[in-house]
């Protein structure tokens, strides 16, 4: 059976590893700390700094994987081209992983090369450049590190006095060795969606039903499927998603994010892997969840269709304090609710606002989606993460 080297072993990697185990794949989970969630369900694991190219080379040579599957951005992705030349399949492709590790590459590809509609944006490598960029794009605007995940380092500038604070916060939240930020004009959007897009080898590109989500501190709090969107906007989002994923190439599931505005659809961001908002698919909303779709596309297993089976929502369980031995209370209460499930990720430590689990709810399409989301949100507050 194929051997998969999973680079990044958080909760998304754990669900992917479980999906892979179910159909007999061998998983080696890699992360920067021991006992990461995916390591708990893998055949083997490695603890390395994935920004160290020599360390990456060492474990690739040691394990000789058939597939390299990145789960995070902070990896020395330029090494991926060498691995592809060695005959290893990088997921979705070396180009996709390399471009999307850095917001600059993917934004320039989308906006300048492919002509997708995006927010007006600039880059800055210092607080002085940031001040100039803010003047050009206007206030309010959003500042993000070029390399980060889960909203780390992201903030909104509302006045000129926010600039220095935004620069320092972005640098603190940045991953890797790139000290640069993207400054985006604030898009007045009505809602945000994630369009999970499945690029297949020798088969048509498929789309999941759109997923809506709400963010705080740049990180998702609740997501729901299906999201409300006009047929015109959905068709436009599909065209844009197919254009950018085809350009990146390879096979696998991409999480493509869009803003829905009065002025149409704006491309926002893209992840070449299962998306955190896509955890709602664990609520049984689809015939295959996003992790199963990613795996099947990688292995060139044909996916005949993706069907929406029910409406659903997810709500995150957050830690409120630091702990090196987190425990959980309230699980029994959650289990009492009908049409409800949950996941505890098994992270070995907690800190304020760290995502430690998720509550999942589902219902019929006749039930208002707002009601399903609110149920998930309320139930998630019953779980307490204790030190």
């Amino acid at each position: 059976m194929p051997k998969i080297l999973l680079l990044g072993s958080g909760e998304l990697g754990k669900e992917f590893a479980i999906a892979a185990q179910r159909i007999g794949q061998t998983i080696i989970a890699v992360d920067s700390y021991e006992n990461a969630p995916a390591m708990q369900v893998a055949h083997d694991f490695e603890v390395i700094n994935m920004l160290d190219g020599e360390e990456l080379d060492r474990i690739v040579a040691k394990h000789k994987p058939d597939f390299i599957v990145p789960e995070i951005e902070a990896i020395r992705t330029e090494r991926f081209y060498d691995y592809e030349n060695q005959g290893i399949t990088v997921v979705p492709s070396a180009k996709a992983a390399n471009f999307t590790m850095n917001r600059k590459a993917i934004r320039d590809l989308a906006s300048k090369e492919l002509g997708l509609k995006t927010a007006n944006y600039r880059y800055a490598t210092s607080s002085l450049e940031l001040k100039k960029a803010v003047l050009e794009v206007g206030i309010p605007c959003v500042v993000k590190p070029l390399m980060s995940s889960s909203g780390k380092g992201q903030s909104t500038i509302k006045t000129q006095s926010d600039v220095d604070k935004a620069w320092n916060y972005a640098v603190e939240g940045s991953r890797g060795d790139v000290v640069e930020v993207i400054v985006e004009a604030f898009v007045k959007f009505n809602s945000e969606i994630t369009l999970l897009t499945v690029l297949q080898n020798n088969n048509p590109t498929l789309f999941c039903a759109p997923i809506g989500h709400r963010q705080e501190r740049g990180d998702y709090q609740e997501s729901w499927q299906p999201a409300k969107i006009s047929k015109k906007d959905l068709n436009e989002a599909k065209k844009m998603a197919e254009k950018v994923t085809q350009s990146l190439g390879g096979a696998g599931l991409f999480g493509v994010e869009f803003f829905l505005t009065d002025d149409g659809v704006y491309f926002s961001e893209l992840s070449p892997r299962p998306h955190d908002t896509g955890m709602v698919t664990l609520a049984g909303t689809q015939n295959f969840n996003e992790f199963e779709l990613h795996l099947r596309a990688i292995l060139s297993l044909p996916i005949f269709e993706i069907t929406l089976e029910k409406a659903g929502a997810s709500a995150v369980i957050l830690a409120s304090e630091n702990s090196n031995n987190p425990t959980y209370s309230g699980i029994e209460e959650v289990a009492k609710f009908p049409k409800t499930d949950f996941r505890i990720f098994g992270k070995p430590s907690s800190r304020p606002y760290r995502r430690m689990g998720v509550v999942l709810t589902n219902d019929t399409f006749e039930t208002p989606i707002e009601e399903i989301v609110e149920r998930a949100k309320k139930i998630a507050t019953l779980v307490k993460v204790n030190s």
Side-chain angles (χ1 to χ4, degrees), residues 6 22 34 49 55 84 118 123 148-149 172 304 308 346:
L6 180 64
R22 284 185 175 139
E34 285 192 28
N49 173 11
E55 279 289 273
E84 274 192 344
T118 70
Y123 301 113
S148 70
S149 62
E172 287 170 13
F304 178 70
L308 188 66

Side-chain angles (χ1 to χ4, degrees), residues 165-359:
K165 186 169 65 175
W167 169 257
N168 293 331
Y169 185 63
V171 171
E172 287 170 13
S174 180
R175 286 188 172 187
D177 48 14
V178 177
V179 183
E180 190 170 3
V181 301
I182 182 171
V183 189
E184 297 179 324
F186 192 80
V187 175
K188 189 179 178 183
F189 59 88
N190 301 317
S191 60
E192 300 175 81
I193 65 160
T194 303
L195 188 62
L196 299 178
T197 303
V198 183
L199 203 58
Q200 300 189 81
N201 287 315
N202 308 313
N203 281 294
T205 296
L206 298 176
F207 303 95
C208 298
I211 295 168
H213 51 94
R214 185 184 71 85
Q215 295 190 20
E216 281 182 18
R217 300 170 298 276
D219 200 5
Y220 112 95
Q221 303 299 299
E222 301 96 37
S223 64
W224 53 92
Q225 189 185 36
K228 293 177 180 176
I229 183 173
S230 70
K231 189 172 182 179
K232 176 177 176 291
D233 283 352
L234 181 57
N235 286 336
E236 185 61 27
K238 285 181 177 179
K239 285 178 188 174
M240 294 167 80
E242 185 160 22
K243 201 171 184 180
V244 70
T245 55
Q246 290 281 359
S247 175
L248 293 169
L253 179 140
F254 293 76
V256 191
E257 295 180 63
F258 296 97
F259 295 122
L260 305 184
T261 77
D262 291 340
D263 187 34
V265 181
Y266 282 72
F267 172 83
S268 174
E269 292 191 338
L270 177 146
S271 298
R273 62 187 70 91
H275 201 269
D276 51 6
T277 63
M279 281 194 280
V280 67
T281 62
L282 294 171
T285 54
Q286 302 182 162
N287 57 334
F288 297 114
N289 66 47
E290 66 168 342
F291 308 99
E292 294 165 335
L293 291 170
H294 195 44
L295 179 69
R296 285 170 181 254
I298 289 165
L299 298 177
S300 296
L301 296 172
I303 303 164
F304 178 70
E305 63 180 350
I306 302 171
T307 57
L308 188 66
E309 301 293 321
K310 58 187 78 167
S314 76
V316 298
I317 297 168
L318 299 178
S320 59
E321 56 190 45
N322 294 301
S323 174
N324 289 321
N325 185 31
T327 58
Y328 302 83
S329 59
I331 297 297
E332 298 84 356
E333 291 303 309
V334 173
K336 292 177 182 177
F337 286 87
K339 300 177 182 178
T340 301
D341 200 358
F342 64 92
R343 299 286 189 278
I344 299 298
F345 301 144
K347 293 179 179 178
S349 64
S350 67
R351 58 180 178 269
Y353 301 117
R354 190 176 196 191
R355 195 164 59 213
M356 305 298 287
V358 67
V359 164

